[in-house]
Amino acid sequence: MCQKEVMEQSAGVMYRKSCASSAACLIASAGYQSFCSPGKLNSVCISCCNTPLCNGPRPKKRSSSALALR
């Protein structure tokens, strides 16, 4: 399976993507469920999926120059 971990820290959002066995990913995902609060500092969310590239690219950041052009 594909595993994606999203950690929200004071330095910014950190992403970790990897492969894991189905059991290992589901156990990790369930184990961190109580720490998953998207948008909150020190949140850790782990998700699992099993289709090609399902953990996808990380979201693109908007740059200040792109905002100035709008």
Side-chain angles (χ1 to χ4, degrees), residues 5-57:
E5 185 174 351
V6 181
M7 299 164 282
E8 300 194 34
Q9 303 171 339
S10 58
V13 179
M14 307 284 288
Y15 297 86
R16 183 180 306 156
K17 297 178 182 186
S18 61
C19 297
S21 71
S22 176
C25 191
L26 293 173
I27 288 169
S29 177
Y32 277 87
Q33 195 170 24
S34 62
F35 300 102
C36 183
S37 298
K40 291 190 177 182
L41 189 61
N42 297 321
S43 171
V44 179
C45 300
I46 297 177
S47 59
C48 311
C49 56
N50 62 1
T51 58
L53 303 175
C54 60
N55 60 355

Side-chain angles (χ1 to χ4, degrees), residues 61-70:
K61 287 185 177 180
R62 287 186 171 179
S63 67
S64 57
S65 60
L67 293 175
L69 296 173
R70 291 184 175 195

